[in-house]
Amino acid sequence: MTAPSGMPDGADASPSLADGRLRRFLTRLPAMVGLVLLIFAGLVIWRELQHLSLQQVMAGLHAIPAAALWKGAGATILSYAILSFYDGLACHHVQAGISWRRSAFVAFCSYVLSHNLGCAAISGTAVRYRLYRNWGVPGIKIAAIVAFCSVTYWLGMLGLVGFILLAQPGIIPYVRHLPPWVTDLGGAACFSVLLAYVLLPCWKQEVHIGRWTLRFPDWRIGLGQILSSMADMSATALIAWCVLDTLPNGSGLTFGGFLAIYIGAYTAGLLANVPGGLGVFDSTMLLALSPWFSVPHIMAGILVFRLFYYIIPLLLAGAMFAGHELFIKGAPLLARFGRTVEHSQSLRSSEADFATIVATGSQAVLGIVIVVYALLAPLPPFHSFWSAVLLQGAAFLLTLIGVMLVGLSLGLSQRVALAWRLSVGALSITLVILTVRQAHWVAFLVVLAVLFVLLPFRKTYYRQAYWRVEPFSPFVLAPFSLWLCGLAGVSWIARQRHLGHVWWRSMVHDAHTAVGRWFLGGAAVCCLLGLWFALRKARLHLLPWNMDARVQYACLQDSAEALSLPCERLVVPDGMLSDATGKAACAVVRLKPFLLSEPVLLCLGGAVGARGQRGGAVWRLRDYAVQEGCQLAVLQQGARQADIYASFGLGLFSLEGDEGWFLVCRPEDYHALKLLLGL
């Protein structure tokens, strides 16, 4: 086919190429914005804190009165209580049939996770989908709940911005220089949008946009969205307002002005998509509040705010979810004793996604807290030379464990089994060291809380570590070698400078040990890099379908029945993929995209072997399919692991001619697979 006259060949490809570049640019735009905000935040923090010492920050923390801390704790409880209205109103709107208690549990878990991990559209959505799906809510209604909660947040933001533009526009940088009529017009526009959102459903319930149908909530629900979101953000800002305590004499800052500053800082952190808005939120608050408060005062307030709003709720959410998971796992046992307990197969088989993420975040935060505690907490008195050596060694070991916990959390995020074992061991050693240091009981409670999130979910961590495959890889040896060199450099400087018994305190605080701080920081970075390379997930390899693989597969439970139908259809496996223990495996064949849109990795007979290990084999199979860029399909007898397949987005289709056999695949691949396999 030739191009029309006057149009060069290939001209029709130019718009599609330009469209592809535009889509890639728009896809990467949020990350680019986040990177720019993060760089700007780093520059601001460096400029403001380069002359600040840890003693000044600690003095700021000690200066916060107990009454202010109690007020901040009360504001935190109020804020998370108001958050329950987000999902409660959403479930009522979509008629999900979920009680307020359950929706409050989902709201707490999802928002705690999105607050701490960033990327709220992904992390919060995953938690909502997991829990609501467990309670039988259809996927289309879950999507509507997620959209409803997102709209609720922006409605409240719009209401507060409108209020600030009308009441206190002078508190906002750059806006204060605009003519009054501009800010009045902006505030009126914000309230006009809210008024339209509330009143529009009175005469039009639905709006059709292409193939999508948007259904507006009732005006009472819409009003509840606006009020609950505005109250939530006001209560969250109230936490920081309380812990900052009294204003300097003659200050003109009011809570309304502070609310404007908080909204700007929180929105900047949200746009950056970094965990907890780390750096971006802090730098914005630091820059905006510096006319009224000293830098140590602001930093102390931000630290307490993060403790109340981020760290403590994350530990609580992890403990609550762990208890919920244990309750679900114990449901069949309780049922044997005549108790009816609602349970979910998907929670027991899908390896507790939320618990893994909470364990990752909790352990990373705990590692940072342990390092700070080891550097700043006072030591018990030395009664002898050996007690001094023991206490100093325990303190130094505690700093190493803190850094290691941060590095190990990276392995936990990838569900590596070795990272789980090392994390449990490091946390157990931490308890022993805290006993030696005679730490406060709260420190033991925090460490035990993280252990409680880790221990029940051993089967969640099923992947093999890269270190097990290539233990002498340069990517592993080089960072650890540099780490040891850094520690040697730190000890040499400590001896040369005669820093005394508690040498690490001088290393951190004194100006003449700046070189030592560089060695110490470099050693910590090398340790993190080494743990990251060593504990990342290893690349999976398929065992060829030779005689050894056949014998190994034949020794597994239910292996003969698994291949009965494929053998009848003359479908021979290409290879075998075992789980980490070798007690379960999957026989697979790779189908090329002849009638299919993409290559498909077909598991013949499903996972076989020890029943307790089959779930791990299925997850490992899915990892291999993603690694190889294939879609996953399963031909098996019975509906085993159906809930795991559903979490992959695969459907379960029964085969009419072969009773008891099912084909698990994407709906769009079903007919092509049946034709290829002769089913």
Side-chain angles (χ1 to χ4, degrees):
M1 181 177 180
T2 60
S5 60
M7 181 181 295
D9 292 341
D12 56 340
S14 299
S16 61
L17 182 60
D19 291 342
R21 290 176 178 174
L22 179 61
R23 282 195 298 269
R24 285 196 298 271
F25 173 76
L26 293 176
T27 302
R28 296 169 183 172
L29 183 60
M32 294 167 60
V33 171
L35 182 61
V36 170
L37 289 173
L38 201 57
I39 294 173
F40 175 75
L43 293 175
V44 170
I45 291 177
W46 171 255
R47 189 188 68 183
E48 296 292 335
L49 303 185
Q50 59 180 334
H51 303 297
L52 187 67
S53 66
L54 286 174
Q55 291 95 331
Q56 291 174 303
V57 177
M58 293 301 297
L61 288 171
H62 288 299
I64 300 176
L69 296 177
W70 282 111
K71 291 177 184 177
T76 304
I77 296 173
L78 177 63
S79 174
Y80 277 104
I82 295 172
L83 271 178
S84 65
F85 284 87
Y86 281 48
D87 283 70
L89 291 171
C91 291
H92 180 72
H93 170 59
V94 304
Q95 299 178 351
I98 299 297
S99 66
W100 196 276
R101 176 177 57 85
R102 284 185 169 179
S103 65
F105 174 73
V106 175
F108 179 69
C109 291
S110 60
Y111 280 108
V112 166
L113 183 62
S114 61
H115 290 161
N116 282 276
L117 297 185
C119 301
I122 300 175
S123 53
T125 301
V127 175
R128 283 194 174 94
Y129 183 84
R130 174 177 176 74
L131 291 176
Y132 283 130
R133 193 67 175 171
N134 168 48
W135 293 321
V137 181
I140 188 66
K141 289 190 175 182
I142 298 175
I145 290 172
V146 172
F148 184 96
C149 293
S150 300
V151 171
T152 301
Y153 168 78
W154 289 110
L155 288 174
M157 176 73 73
L158 202 62
L160 289 177
V161 169
F163 172 78
I164 292 167
L165 287 175
L166 291 176
Q168 282 192 325
I171 201 69
I172 308 174
Y174 307 111
V175 175
R176 64 169 65 102
H177 303 296
L178 296 176
W181 66 268
V182 176
T183 57
D184 292 342
L185 184 62
C190 291
F191 282 109
S192 299
V193 173
L194 296 179
L195 188 63
Y197 182 81
V198 172
L199 296 181
L200 185 62
C202 294
W203 68 83
K204 192 173 184 62
Q205 294 289 333
E206 295 180 349
V207 173
H208 299 279
I209 303 176
R211 60 189 183 93
W212 298 98
T213 300
L214 302 179
R215 180 172 173 266
F216 290 103
D218 181 75
W219 70 269
R220 290 178 290 267
I221 297 179
L223 186 61
Q225 285 180 271
I226 297 170
L227 294 178
S228 61
S229 181
M230 292 176 65
D232 164 53
M233 280 182 279
S234 300
T236 307
L238 185 62
I239 303 171
W241 177 259
C242 289
V243 298
L244 283 172
D245 198 37
T246 56
L247 287 164
N249 294 329
S251 174
L253 181 65
T254 63
F255 179 70
F258 179 80
L259 182 60
I261 293 172
Y262 173 82
I263 290 174
Y266 185 81
T267 305
L270 197 66
L271 292 175
N273 275 328
V274 294
L278 192 62
V280 180
F281 172 84
D282 311 78
S283 62
T284 308
M285 292 286 283
L286 196 62
L287 196 62
L289 292 175
S290 55
W292 294 280
F293 299 97
S294 65
V295 174
H297 195 156
I298 299 172
M299 290 304 300
I302 291 175
L303 288 174
V304 176
F305 170 77
R306 287 197 173 277
L307 177 68
F308 282 171
Y309 194 62
Y310 290 93
I311 299 175
I312 294 177
L314 181 63
L315 295 175
L316 288 176
M320 289 169 61
F321 195 87
H324 180 259
E325 184 81 2
L326 291 174
F327 177 79
I328 294 298
K329 288 185 176 182
L333 180 62
L334 293 174
R336 295 179 185 177
F337 294 95
R339 301 182 184 181
T340 58
V341 180
E342 184 179 351
H343 65 279
S344 167
Q345 183 70 15
S346 63
L347 269 178
R348 287 187 280 114
S349 301
S350 61
E351 304 298 339
D353 301 334
F354 180 72
T356 303
I357 300 174
V358 169
T360 301
S362 301
Q363 182 167 300
V365 171
L366 178 63
I368 297 172
V369 171
I370 285 176
V371 172
V372 175
Y373 173 80
L375 294 174
L376 301 180
L379 288 174
F382 303 150
H383 299 294
S384 65
F385 170 78
W386 293 110
S387 66
V389 171
L390 179 63
L391 289 173
Q392 290 182 55
F396 182 65
L397 185 59
L398 203 58
T399 59
L400 294 181
I401 290 178
V403 175
M404 288 180 61
L405 286 176
V406 176
L408 290 172
S409 65
L410 300 174
L412 290 180
S413 66
Q414 296 200 356
R415 302 190 180 199
V416 175
L418 182 60
W420 181 88
R421 288 194 290 269
L422 292 176
S423 297
V424 172
L427 291 170
S428 303
I429 295 173
T430 302
L431 292 174
V432 176
I433 296 175
L434 292 177
T435 304
V436 173
R437 290 198 55 167
Q438 303 174 16
H440 194 271
W441 62 269
V442 175
F444 290 93
L445 188 63
V446 172
V447 177
L448 288 173
V450 178
L451 270 173
F452 183 70
V453 176
L454 275 174
L455 289 176
F457 304 105
R458 168 62 186 88
K459 292 183 180 180
T460 302
Y461 307 94
Y462 60 90
R463 290 172 177 157
Q464 192 174 23
Y466 177 80
W467 178 77
R468 289 290 185 88
V469 179
E470 297 187 43
F472 301 108
S473 169
F475 291 103
V476 177
L477 293 180
F480 282 122
S481 301
L482 292 174
W483 176 45
L484 294 176
C485 292
L487 293 180
V490 169
S491 62
W492 178 79
I493 291 173
R495 291 173 61 89
Q496 290 293 318
R497 301 282 180 158
H498 304 288
L499 298 182
H501 293 294
V502 195
W503 56 268
W504 59 89
R505 304 291 179 88
S506 301
M507 189 76 72
V508 172
H509 298 300
D510 295 346
H512 68 281
T513 57
V515 177
R517 283 198 290 273
W518 280 105
F519 271 101
L520 199 60
V525 170
C526 290
C527 178
L528 291 176
L529 288 176
L531 289 172
W532 166 247
F533 285 119
L535 296 178
R536 58 180 173 165
K537 61 181 181 181
R539 185 174 179 85
L540 299 174
H541 297 280
L542 203 65
L543 185 65
W545 193 250
N546 51 26
M547 184 58 65
D548 293 337
R550 295 180 185 181
V551 172
Q552 183 179 344
Y553 187 84
C555 294
L556 298 175
Q557 184 179 355
D558 298 331
S559 59
E561 295 82 355
L563 294 182
S564 58
L565 182 63
C567 290
E568 292 179 8
R569 299 296 189 271
L570 302 179
V571 181
V572 181
D574 292 334
M576 182 184 74
L577 189 69
S578 302
D579 76 321
T581 64
K583 297 179 180 179
C586 299
V588 299
V589 59
R590 183 165 180 166
L591 303 178
K592 296 181 179 180
F594 172 58
L595 298 175
L596 301 162
S597 58
E598 299 177 74
V600 171
L601 187 71
L602 178 64
C603 174
L604 303 176
V608 299
R611 297 189 182 277
Q613 306 297 331
R614 293 182 184 182
V618 172
W619 279 91
R620 198 175 178 87
L621 177 67
R622 183 245 192 178
D623 288 350
Y624 181 77
V626 172
Q627 172 186 297
E628 298 299 315
C630 301
Q631 295 296 331
L632 181 62
V634 182
L635 176 64
Q636 68 178 28
Q637 190 173 24
R640 306 183 310 271
Q641 286 89 37
D643 48 347
I644 303 182
Y645 299 137
S647 68
F648 301 159
L650 305 179
L652 191 70
F653 305 94
S654 60
L655 301 178
E656 298 177 359
D658 300 282
E659 186 177 352
W661 283 83
F662 292 85
L663 184 60
V664 184
C665 62
R666 296 188 304 170
E668 57 266 31
D669 294 336
Y670 173 66
H671 295 291
L673 284 173
K674 281 192 65 177
L675 186 61
L676 280 174
L677 299 174
L679 299 174

